[in-house]
Amino acid sequence: MATSSNIQVLLRSYATRQNSAQVNVTEFCDYIKKYAQHHAQEQAELLPYINNANELVRKELERLAEEKQILFISADPEKKEVIVISYYIDKCANIYQNIKKNSAIPYPSNTDLPKNTPSEVMKKESADVYLANTLSQETSKEHSLYCLQLPRALPSILIPTTFPAEELMAIALSKFQMKLRKDEFHDYFLKKLKVANPGKDLTIKNFFTTVTKKPEEAIRSIKNASDTFYQWNQLCFFVRQDYEKMTDLTAEDVSLLQSVYLLEFCIAHYRTKAQQNLQRDTALKNLELSLNKPPYYFTRENINMFSDSRGVPLLGQYSDKDLSEFLQNATTNAEENKLPSLLTFMGINNTRTYVLKSKVLPLIVRLCTDAREAVRDQITKDCFNNLKKFASVPEMKNQELFEKTLENSVKIHSPILYALLNASFLKALQYESRGMSELVTGHIHLFTDGEISPYSELLMISKEEILTDAKIMLPVWYTIPVVSWLMAMFKGQPKQKKQKPQSQSTQKKMIASDEAETYDAPSPLSPQDAATSRKEELKQAALDAEKHYVPDGSTLERELSSYENAWNRMLSKQAKANLTEDVNALIRDYMRKILKTLRANNFTPERINNLATTLVKTPGMQKIQDQADLHMYVQLYMVKLIKGL
């Protein structure tokens, strides 16, 4: 399709062929029409220009004028003449290419443009501002011509944006070197530097050699803002001081002064940039130190408010982009199979919260200690109120309900603790710290058998203690049986009516099908005898299952060892032992839950296979490659656990 870029290229080419930036629009339209007739078969997008060249070309020229790529000479509605700015850009670029070959050629200036050239074809800018802006950019998409203003009424320098600023710095250095290589100037300025730096003759000599004979190393020393920054400033000042005293300057002298100013601007830019980088790096280190301070968990808003030891905000010493990149890298970059140094979790009001990995476990311990009193007081108060009303307190009789009550209370009184205990990285952090054996911090056991410890253990609160404290708070007459009974008659909640006894057949059906009950069927034996009898029955069932899994001539331990070596292929002995212990801990935890409902008549190879299948399909087990051998190992270990009751 026809685009403005096609017309712009053709207009640029047409101006170059005419050797003039001023183009007659009518003649250019005729040129486009002929060009379209000649190249229509090769470029189908040119077909509309054959019959309607004038209208289409003028529309394109108006758009180029809005983009300041061309300039109409007058406000004439017909707009017969235009100035092609790219013509001047190309001309200046060619001059710079010639200067790169011959440093004696002066910089392009306004005098290189034709007379009566409109000032609108170029943008005026201070040389130091232009260099500061362009040296920070890798490439410039702008297609313009700049007129760089220099101090001391020196002639301005023209530079197209297509010519990199770093190459302009290299040209300035080459002109500077050309002057200093001359014998009289070489010895003169070298001596001035030595006088200004007594006792550093060797250092000054090496620096001067670099400046005059090693252009690449000299440019590198400017960009790196190295220790030679002070010598660079001195040398430029000495040269500029001498030449600014002169009244009659030759073209060579003017070119030298222009180069000195350009070099000084470049040196100042890179020096400022180095100072900003140093300030940013120092501020980011202070940021890391602030993350190591209480309360150890911070939202992005909190981090934005960090300040240094002087009270100066860190945000400003580094940019918001620098902070985002730091947080992104700290929360994603990590060693293989390890968590990153900075972790995130959803804190209060689902706000992303940051915490250092090294501070997670100590923070949990501190929060548990801080939350204990508030949680304990609240639950004690609730228990007291229920007892005072003669209402039932089921959580004081059932441990699972008590743990749930503690969890709900922690969620209210310490939401950060609740969020950390439910964070996705906590188990991975425990796995990463498993070399510490059982992690114990102070008197709190954070993990038990690979899982986070119950809330009652984390907070060191027992339901018996809560119930005792609540009863102590009751008035004295609540402890007198007859009085408390009478009060319960009037204040207590009505008891539920007893259900009618079910038929014997219904009871048998419920007992036969119910495997989810948390108690065994009523037994004529005492509770202790019933538990002993159930344990012996389970052991016998495990012995029967062992015969199914263990071949003749082998043992349960031998089979376990064989299958363990099959699925656990870790090379390191310690790593292998740790992995086996993690798997065993998962099996033990699983069987501890199943044991509450497990009956001897149900502990069959089929039931064991189903239990093992369920456990092996968990995310933690799925990471192990050899699933078949792992499945068999889980079944054998279950038999071993029940057998060892």
Side-chain angles (χ1 to χ4, degrees):
M1 65 178 182
T3 62
S4 297
S5 59
N6 296 108
I7 297 300
Q8 184 177 0
V9 171
L10 292 173
L11 183 61
R12 182 178 179 181
S13 175
Y14 184 78
T16 303
R17 288 174 56 187
Q18 283 192 328
N19 195 25
S20 173
Q22 187 170 334
V23 173
N24 183 281
V25 175
T26 303
E27 294 177 359
F28 179 67
C29 290
D30 294 338
Y31 167 76
I32 291 295
K33 183 177 181 179
K34 293 178 182 178
Y35 184 88
Q37 291 173 346
H38 188 268
H39 297 279
Q41 293 182 351
E42 303 170 4
Q43 304 177 37
E45 64 270 15
L46 295 175
L47 287 173
Y49 290 93
I50 296 177
N51 299 321
N52 196 18
N54 288 342
E55 182 180 353
L56 293 176
V57 169
R58 289 181 183 275
K59 286 183 178 180
E60 295 291 351
L61 291 179
E62 289 177 0
R63 203 186 73 81
L64 290 175
E66 291 178 359
E67 295 178 356
K68 297 183 179 180
Q69 299 299 317
I70 63 173
L71 182 68
F72 285 101
I73 293 179
S74 65
D76 185 354
E78 296 184 3
K79 299 178 180 177
K80 297 180 179 179
E81 302 285 340
V82 296
I83 297 294
V84 183
I85 298 177
S86 58
Y87 174 82
Y88 299 119
I89 293 176
D90 293 341
K91 186 173 182 179
C92 286
N94 290 333
I95 294 175
Y96 277 106
Q97 294 301 325
N98 293 331
I99 295 176
K100 290 171 68 175
K101 299 175 183 177
N102 182 6
S103 300
I105 299 175
Y107 292 101
S109 63
N110 296 341
T111 57
D112 294 307
L113 300 180
K115 292 182 178 180
N116 301 324
T117 299
S119 59
E120 292 84 350
V121 301
M122 65 189 79
K123 297 179 180 180
K124 293 183 179 181
E125 184 74 88
S126 176
D128 56 340
V129 175
Y130 176 83
L131 289 172
N133 293 334
T134 54
L135 286 173
S136 302
Q137 302 175 359
E138 294 183 2
T139 55
S140 175
K141 296 181 180 179
E142 187 181 3
H143 195 72
S144 305
L145 183 66
Y146 273 85
C147 178
L148 304 186
Q149 307 292 317
L150 294 171
R152 300 284 183 176
L154 286 172
S156 300
I157 296 176
L158 297 181
I159 181 170
T161 53
T162 55
F163 192 76
E166 288 190 6
E167 292 192 22
L168 177 62
M169 179 173 64
I171 286 176
L173 178 62
S174 67
K175 289 178 174 292
F176 193 59
Q177 288 175 326
M178 181 179 66
K179 194 71 173 179
L180 293 179
R181 285 184 187 133
K182 296 181 179 180
D183 292 340
E184 63 275 17
F185 295 102
H186 180 281
D187 297 339
Y188 173 71
F189 287 111
L190 177 58
K191 183 179 180 180
K192 292 195 72 171
L193 276 178
K194 288 181 177 180
V195 171
N197 296 272
K200 297 182 179 179
D201 290 0
L202 182 59
T203 302
I204 296 301
K205 184 178 180 181
N206 291 336
F207 165 73
F208 206 78
T209 302
T210 301
V211 172
T212 55
K213 297 182 180 180
K214 301 176 181 178
E216 293 182 0
E217 188 174 340
I219 290 290
R220 191 160 50 249
S221 69
I222 294 176
K223 288 184 177 181
N224 296 337
S226 60
D227 297 337
T228 59
F229 169 77
Y230 183 65
Q231 284 82 22
W232 270 111
N233 273 347
Q234 280 185 320
L235 180 58
C236 290
F237 173 75
F238 291 150
V239 174
R240 180 165 52 81
Q241 185 183 46
D242 280 13
Y243 277 85
E244 285 179 346
K245 294 178 182 178
M246 300 170 63
T247 55
D248 296 327
L249 296 174
T250 64
E252 184 182 359
D253 296 336
V254 170
S255 185
L256 175 62
L257 274 177
Q258 290 174 321
S259 300
V260 169
Y261 274 112
L262 292 177
L263 284 176
E264 285 185 322
F265 295 150
C266 293
I267 292 168
H269 165 74
Y270 284 111
R271 183 63 175 178
T272 302
K273 185 177 179 181
Q275 290 174 341
Q276 291 174 346
N277 291 338
L278 179 61
Q279 182 186 52
R280 182 195 61 194
D281 295 341
T282 303
L284 290 175
K285 289 181 181 179
N286 287 330
L287 169 62
E288 294 180 18
L289 294 176
S290 298
L291 291 172
N292 273 286
K293 297 178 181 179
Y296 304 118
Y297 59 90
F298 307 94
T299 63
R300 178 63 182 266
E301 184 178 355
N302 299 143
I303 294 174
N304 289 342
M305 301 299 293
F306 283 171
S307 59
D308 58 20
S309 58
R310 301 167 298 168
V312 180
L314 295 180
L315 188 58
Q317 299 181 45
Y318 49 66
S319 66
D320 190 71
K321 181 181 178 182
D322 293 331
L323 177 58
S324 298
E325 290 179 354
F326 172 83
L327 295 176
Q328 176 69 17
N329 293 333
T331 54
T332 54
N333 295 342
E335 298 179 14
E336 187 177 0
N337 298 325
K338 287 191 176 183
L339 292 169
S341 60
L342 188 65
L343 304 175
T344 62
F345 64 96
M346 302 309 292
I348 301 173
N349 297 328
N350 288 329
T351 303
R352 182 175 297 278
T353 307
Y354 299 86
V355 59
L356 289 174
K357 179 174 66 174
S358 60
K359 296 297 181 182
V360 172
L361 301 180
L363 177 59
I364 291 177
V365 173
R366 197 199 76 181
L367 292 175
C368 285
T369 304
D370 294 344
R372 180 179 184 276
E373 184 175 353
V375 172
R376 185 178 180 279
D377 291 347
Q378 182 60 49
I379 296 178
T380 302
K381 183 179 179 181
D382 293 343
C383 180
F384 165 76
N385 291 333
N386 288 329
L387 291 176
K388 193 174 182 180
K389 298 175 184 177
F390 295 97
S392 62
V393 191
E395 60 268 21
M396 296 301 151
K397 299 178 182 179
N398 185 294
Q399 186 63 30
E400 291 185 4
L401 290 177
F402 182 66
E403 295 292 345
K404 188 65 178 176
T405 302
L406 288 174
E407 180 180 355
N408 293 334
S409 184
V410 168
K411 190 174 182 180
I412 296 172
H413 291 92
S414 185
I416 293 297
L417 174 60
Y418 179 81
L420 282 172
L421 293 175
N422 291 275
S424 58
F425 58 73
L426 195 57
K427 286 189 177 181
L429 182 60
Q430 186 271 337
Y431 180 79
E432 189 174 312
S433 306
R434 69 188 187 279
M436 300 170 61
S437 184
E438 185 179 5
L439 184 61
V440 180
T441 308
H443 299 288
I444 299 177
H445 293 251
L446 295 181
F447 298 96
T448 303
D449 295 332
E451 297 289 339
I452 192 71
S453 298
Y455 282 88
S456 58
E457 186 172 344
L458 291 174
L459 300 174
M460 294 186 289
I461 299 176
S462 67
K463 63 180 186 295
E464 292 82 7
E465 180 185 0
I466 296 293
L467 186 60
T468 301
D469 291 347
K471 287 181 177 180
I472 292 174
M473 296 167 61
L474 291 170
V476 66
W477 53 81
Y478 276 78
T479 62
I480 303 174
V482 177
V483 176
S484 63
W485 181 78
L486 290 173
M487 292 178 67
M489 290 288 291
F490 293 101
K491 293 185 178 182
Q493 298 177 354
K495 296 183 179 180
Q496 296 180 356
K497 295 182 179 180
K498 294 184 179 180
Q499 297 180 355
K500 294 182 179 180
Q502 296 175 334
S503 63
Q504 186 175 1
S505 61
T506 304
Q507 291 180 357
K508 288 182 179 180
K509 290 179 181 179
M510 290 180 64
I511 294 173
S513 60
D514 187 12
E515 293 185 6
E517 291 293 327
T518 59
Y519 56 87
D520 292 325
S523 173
L525 302 175
S526 65
Q528 184 176 0
D529 293 340
T532 303
S533 175
R534 178 171 174 269
K535 185 183 295 185
E536 293 300 324
E537 290 174 0
L538 285 172
K539 285 184 178 180
Q540 185 58 48
L543 291 173
D544 295 338
E546 181 181 5
K547 296 177 182 178
H548 173 79
Y549 289 106
V550 179
D552 294 337
S554 184
T555 62
L556 180 60
E557 293 296 336
R558 186 182 300 170
E559 293 297 314
L560 276 169
S561 178
S562 175
Y563 282 105
E564 178 188 350
N565 293 328
W567 64 262
N568 191 347
R569 299 176 182 177
M570 302 292 287
L571 298 179
S572 170
K573 290 184 179 180
Q574 185 61 40
K576 185 173 184 178
N578 290 337
L579 181 57
T580 300
E581 179 55 29
D582 290 342
V583 171
N584 292 345
L586 287 174
I587 301 173
R588 288 196 299 270
D589 291 344
Y590 184 69
M591 291 303 295
R592 190 178 292 112
K593 298 175 183 177
I594 296 298
L595 194 58
K596 297 178 181 180
T597 61
L598 188 63
R599 297 173 182 162
N601 59 350
N602 284 338
F603 195 70
T604 61
E606 293 76 16
R607 176 66 169 163
I608 296 171
N609 179 65
N610 292 336
L611 294 174
T613 301
T614 301
L615 184 57
V616 169
K617 287 183 179 180
T618 58
M621 292 287 202
Q622 286 292 307
K623 295 179 181 179
I624 299 175
Q625 294 183 355
D626 198 337
Q627 292 286 299
D629 290 325
L630 176 63
H631 183 271
M632 193 63 189
Y633 176 86
V634 172
Q635 296 181 73
L636 291 170
Y637 196 80
M638 287 179 174
V639 173
K640 177 183 177 181
L641 291 175
I642 300 301
K643 181 182 173 183
L645 289 175

